[in-house]
């Protein structure tokens, strides 16, 4: 620590000038953001829509790099603004502490010297001669609590008060020196790389500013509030405060249920770059897997896709987090949220496959009602079974229960931010995701705002009757392909013998078909078969899908085609009709 700050300098410090400098960096940040927006929405989209060929591809690549550079300028200038505002905020607190001590000294006619010592006048009466007791000088005693209190009491009644004032002056200056030193180091680190390109590593600068700005910004983020309260908090901020939060805490704001979709999208697009920089600096398999998923999401965000993409959540915790909406869920009357299941994680397969499912649903829904949006919600850790059918026994209830709580929070956020008086919300669960949706219905008053529930490829939902899902059995819709083995998993009790055999001997065509398929009594892994009469949902028609066992070996492809308008047009259309609030147009199928 090298700061030479004195109490007089702290007293005279013009914090407003620091805030004025912060405003200047804020204006630079906003200009960079406007430049990025112009490139992304006008130049790049115009080029993609009118030009083709190698030259056009090269121009698009250069524009994307320029957009990324503008984004870097936006972020770095925003960090500088927040660092300066946070410095002023912390220094002003120490000024107030110092000014209080100086005011007390002035009222008592004490003198505060340049070194912080305090001289007090004579006072009181001597016990022997009755004359006033001599004055003296008190100096700050350093860090509080490190020196034992003296048992000797100075006879002058001013001595104790002078010592207290000296300690307060010393503490204010010492704390201000630490602040000065800390922000000097932070500001020196906020510098660009040589040259025009912005490598991934340069996106890590936010960490130091985030730590320093904790008291200034982060502590005020209402993590424990309801989504409706968070929406009100955001609405009550000034534009400058919003810009600072977006620059410094895009990960917090972008993943906070109750924040408007447009804001979450803007925050998460910046957080996406931070995550790419963070994971790009690591050298492990998990980082490489998630990085591939993030880069694919980034690629799609830059495409001129219809309906437009909104990035409502992104993160690297656990198996990764990603929430993508096709269409603005705040403006749409019909909003569906699809929860993926077994083996889903933030990787390239998710970014290509699961995002396509949501997009297909959005396109199909819009065909029936233009005011629609479809979301894929990877907001939990789905079970992972790297050994395929041999590992299905890993599926327990814990992840569904935790995921159900998180899903309810997200859906409550959609309810809070949707602009329509009575939006139509649909929860869609696929595979283990249907178990997660089932768990969500059992927490509190059920899934907030949801009118209809769609279950496809389900191994059971944790309840035995559709009416237990809280939306009425006529609003629960089930798709179960004849050849989808996951919809025919035996109950856990029935599977004991078969699982032991699989672990001991390995999967063969015979034992996979015989031991991992339900014996026919409606009891599945997580309760009654949702496609059964006893469960009582409405079953819509779907294609049979490829057979589990064929001349080409074992295939579970029938489990993954429910959303695909090319491979199963009937199923995809039925899901879209439910999501559009037009389930009355579906011709239902017989129960199993």
């Amino acid at each position: 620590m090298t700061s030479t700050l004195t109490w007089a300098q702290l007293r005279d410090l013009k914090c407003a000038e620091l805030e004025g400098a912060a405003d200047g960096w804020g204006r630079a940040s906003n200009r960079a953001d406007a430049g990025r927006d112009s490139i992304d929405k006008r130049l790049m989209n115009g080029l993609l829509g009118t030009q083709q060929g190698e030259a056009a591809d090269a121009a698009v690549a250069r524009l994307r790099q320029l957009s990324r550079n503008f984004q870097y300028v936006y972020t770095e200038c925003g960090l500088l603004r927040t660092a300066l505002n946070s410095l002023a905020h912390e220094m002003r607190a120490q000024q107030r502490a110092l000014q209080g001590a100086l005011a007390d000294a002035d009222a008592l006619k004490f003198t505060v010297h340049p070194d912080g010592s305090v001289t007090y006048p004579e006072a009181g009466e001597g016990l022997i001669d009755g004359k006033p007791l001599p004055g003296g000088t008190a100096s700050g005693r350093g860090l509080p609590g490190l020196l034992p209190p003296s048992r000797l009491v100075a006879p002058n009644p001013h001595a104790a008060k002078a010592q207290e004032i000296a300690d307060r002056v010393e503490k204010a200056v010492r704390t201000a020196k630490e602040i000065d030193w800390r922000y000097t180091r932070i500001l020196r680190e906020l510098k660009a790389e040589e040259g025009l390109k912005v490598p991934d590593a340069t996106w890590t600068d936010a960490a130091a500013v985030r730590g320093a700005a904790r008291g200034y910004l982060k502590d005020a983020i209402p993590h424990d509030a309801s989504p409706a309260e968070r929406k009100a908090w955001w609405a009550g901020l000034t534009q400058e405060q919003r810009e600072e939060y977006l620059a410094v805490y895009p990960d917090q704001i972008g993943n906070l249920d109750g924040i408007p979709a447009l804001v979450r999208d803007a925050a998460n697009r910046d957080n996406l770059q931070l995550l790419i920089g963070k994971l790009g600096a690591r050298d492990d398999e998990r980082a490489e897997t998630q990085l591939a998923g993030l880069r694919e999401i980034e690629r799609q965000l830059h495409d001129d896709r219809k309906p437009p993409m909104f990035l409502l959540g992104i993160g690297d915790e656990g198996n990764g987090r990603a929430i993508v909406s096709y269409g603005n869920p705040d403006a749409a009357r019909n909003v569906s949220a699809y929860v993926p299941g077994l083996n889903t994680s933030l990787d390239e397969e998710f970014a290509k496959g699961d995002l396509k499912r949501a997009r297909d649903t959005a396109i199909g829904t819009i065909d029936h009602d233009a005011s629609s949006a479809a979301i894929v919600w990877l907001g939990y850790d789905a079970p992972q079974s790297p050994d395929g059918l041999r590992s299905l026994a890993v599926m327990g209830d814990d992840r569904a229960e935790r995921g159900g709580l998180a899903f309810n929070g997200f859906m409550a956020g959609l309810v809070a931010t949707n602009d329509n008086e009575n939006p139509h919300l649909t929860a869609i669960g696929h595979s283990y995701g249907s178990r997660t949706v089932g768990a969500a219905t059992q927490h509190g008053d059920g899934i907030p705002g949801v009118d209809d529930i769609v279950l496809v490829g389900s191994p059971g939902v944790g309840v035995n009757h559709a009416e237990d899902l809280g939306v009425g059995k006529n609003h629960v819709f089930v798709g179960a392909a004849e050849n989808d083995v996951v919809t025919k998993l035996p109950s856990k009790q029935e599977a004991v013998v078969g699982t032991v055999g699989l672990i001991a001997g390995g999967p063969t065509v015979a034992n996979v078909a015989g031991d991992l398929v339900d014996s026919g009594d409606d009891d599945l892994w997580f309760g009654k078969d949702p496609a059964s009469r006893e469960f009582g949902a409405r079953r819509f028609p779907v294609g049979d899908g490829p057979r589990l066992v064929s001349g080409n070996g074992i295939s579970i492809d029938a489990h993954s085609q429910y959303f695909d308008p090319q491979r199963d047009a009937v199923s995809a259309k039925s899901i879209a009709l439910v999501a559009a609030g037009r389930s009355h147009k579906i011709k239902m199928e017989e129960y199993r």
Side-chain angles (χ1 to χ4, degrees):
M1 187 182 300
T2 58
S3 177
T4 58
L5 188 71
T6 66
W7 70 259
Q9 290 172 321
L10 175 60
R11 178 197 62 192
D12 298 336
L13 179 66
K14 294 180 174 59
C15 292
E17 292 184 356
L18 290 173
E19 293 167 334
D23 290 341
W25 286 108
R27 289 190 291 272
S29 177
N30 291 338
R31 285 195 293 270
D33 190 39
R36 175 184 63 171
D37 192 63
S38 178
I39 290 172
D40 291 347
K41 294 183 178 179
R42 293 174 53 194
L43 297 179
M44 200 179 310
N45 286 345
L47 190 60
L48 286 168
T50 60
Q51 305 294 321
Q52 293 182 343
E54 293 184 5
D57 291 344
V60 168
R62 295 294 295 272
L63 284 173
R64 283 177 175 163
Q65 183 63 55
L66 183 59
S67 172
R68 198 161 183 256
N69 288 354
F70 269 124
Q71 184 173 18
Y72 175 72
V73 173
Y74 158 75
T75 300
E76 292 295 291
C77 290
L79 293 174
L80 282 163
R81 169 179 55 190
T82 299
L84 291 170
N85 276 334
S86 186
L87 170 60
H89 172 79
E90 292 193 43
M91 281 297 201
R92 188 174 277 116
Q94 300 312 311
Q95 270 189 328
R96 288 195 294 267
L98 173 66
Q99 290 164 352
L102 295 177
D104 288 349
D106 185 64
L108 293 168
K109 309 300 183 184
F110 294 174
T111 300
V112 181
H113 300 284
D115 63 357
S117 61
V118 178
T119 296
Y120 54 93
E122 60 181 19
E125 296 181 354
L127 295 177
I128 299 175
D129 55 11
K131 293 182 179 180
L133 297 172
T137 299
S139 298
R141 293 177 293 190
L143 295 176
L146 296 183
L147 296 176
S150 173
R151 295 184 179 276
L152 298 177
V153 179
N156 189 318
H158 289 316
K161 186 62 177 178
Q163 185 62 64
E164 180 206 358
I165 293 173
D167 289 344
R168 288 160 61 192
V169 170
E170 193 276 338
K171 181 181 179 182
V173 173
R174 172 170 39 81
T175 304
K177 285 182 178 180
E178 187 276 330
I179 295 168
D180 182 34
W181 170 78
R182 177 158 43 89
Y183 278 93
T184 297
R185 183 181 60 183
I186 290 170
L187 291 168
R188 283 174 177 168
E189 290 176 354
L190 290 175
K191 59 182 180 182
E193 298 286 329
E194 293 291 335
L196 296 177
K197 290 190 176 181
V198 181
D200 289 340
T202 60
W203 291 96
T204 60
D205 289 341
V209 178
R210 291 180 182 188
R214 182 177 182 89
Y216 174 59
L217 289 177
K218 185 178 181 181
D219 290 348
I221 299 176
H223 291 288
D224 296 329
S226 69
E229 291 168 337
R230 292 168 182 165
K231 179 187 177 183
W233 167 77
W234 183 260
L237 297 176
T238 65
Q239 184 59 31
E240 181 181 359
Q241 288 172 323
R242 293 174 186 169
E243 291 168 358
E244 286 194 87
Y245 275 113
L246 288 172
V248 183
Y249 292 111
D251 57 331
Q252 305 279 335
I253 301 304
N255 290 285
L256 199 62
D257 298 326
I259 300 299
L262 288 171
V263 177
R264 291 181 72 162
D265 178 64
N268 284 313
R269 287 174 186 251
D270 289 339
N271 190 35
L272 179 66
Q273 299 300 325
L274 296 174
L275 286 170
I276 288 174
K278 173 185 174 182
L279 296 177
R282 286 168 41 187
D283 185 21
D284 59 83
E285 184 177 355
R286 176 172 169 269
E288 290 178 3
T289 297
Q290 293 188 351
L291 188 60
L294 293 174
R295 290 200 182 281
E296 174 59 22
I297 291 173
E298 179 189 35
R299 185 193 69 78
Q300 293 184 34
L301 286 169
H302 284 294
D303 289 345
D304 185 21
R305 292 197 163 218
K306 302 296 182 194
M309 287 176 66
F310 291 81
L311 190 57
L312 304 182
I314 199 75
D316 64 339
E317 60 267 36
N319 295 328
R321 302 287 186 267
I323 307 171
V324 176
S325 178
Y326 290 92
N328 185 343
D330 291 351
R333 286 192 301 271
N334 301 295
V335 182
S336 65
Y338 146 58
V339 182
L342 186 66
N343 285 335
T344 309
S345 62
L346 178 57
D347 56 18
E348 190 171 10
E349 181 180 353
F350 165 83
K352 291 181 176 178
D354 289 277
L355 264 64
K356 181 182 181 300
R357 292 175 181 175
R359 185 167 183 264
D360 286 342
T361 299
I363 293 171
T365 308
I366 289 171
D367 285 343
H368 301 288
D369 189 330
S371 182
S372 300
I375 299 166
V376 54
W377 182 85
L378 181 60
Y380 79 121
D381 284 329
Q384 305 294 301
S385 60
D387 297 326
L389 292 176
R390 288 185 64 182
S391 301
L392 287 173
V394 304
M395 291 197 299
D397 296 286
D398 290 347
R399 296 188 182 213
E401 294 295 334
R402 292 195 297 270
L405 282 170
F407 185 62
N408 279 0
F410 174 74
M411 297 303 288
L414 292 184
V415 173
T417 58
N418 191 280
D419 296 330
N420 295 278
E421 184 176 348
N422 187 27
H424 173 251
L425 270 58
T426 304
I428 304 173
H430 174 242
S431 185
Y432 187 85
S434 68
R435 175 67 185 93
T436 303
V437 169
T441 68
Q442 303 305 297
H443 292 296
D445 295 326
I447 308 176
V450 164
D451 302 285
D452 293 308
I453 293 175
V454 177
L455 309 169
V456 288
S458 176
V461 296
V463 300
N464 289 326
H465 301 97
E467 61 191 21
D468 296 331
L469 296 178
V471 294
K473 66 180 184 179
N474 289 332
H475 291 274
V476 179
F477 302 86
V478 176
E482 179 62 28
N483 295 322
D484 183 355
V485 65
V486 177
T487 70
K488 297 184 177 182
L489 290 177
S491 68
K492 296 174 185 177
Q493 291 76 17
E494 294 170 337
V496 171
V497 175
T499 302
V500 171
L502 283 174
I503 294 173
T508 66
V509 171
N511 63 28
V512 168
D515 293 330
L516 281 183
V517 175
D518 182 34
S519 60
D521 62 359
D522 293 343
D523 290 322
L524 298 187
W525 196 267
F526 292 117
K528 288 294 178 186
D529 180 1
S532 69
R533 180 178 300 277
E534 184 172 349
F535 189 80
R538 302 175 71 188
R539 186 183 182 197
F540 56 84
V542 302
D544 289 345
R547 294 177 62 84
L548 173 64
V549 181
S550 69
N552 296 322
I554 300 172
S555 169
I556 58 172
D557 288 349
H559 184 58
S560 60
Q561 62 185 35
Y562 293 99
F563 300 86
D564 195 316
Q566 278 71 49
R567 292 193 294 166
D568 195 339
V570 175
S571 176
K573 182 178 180 180
S574 296
I575 294 171
L577 282 170
V578 175
R582 286 165 169 73
S583 60
H584 60 278
K585 294 186 176 183
I586 303 173
K587 182 179 179 181
M588 296 301 166
E589 191 172 45
E590 290 296 320
Y591 296 114
R592 278 182 174 171

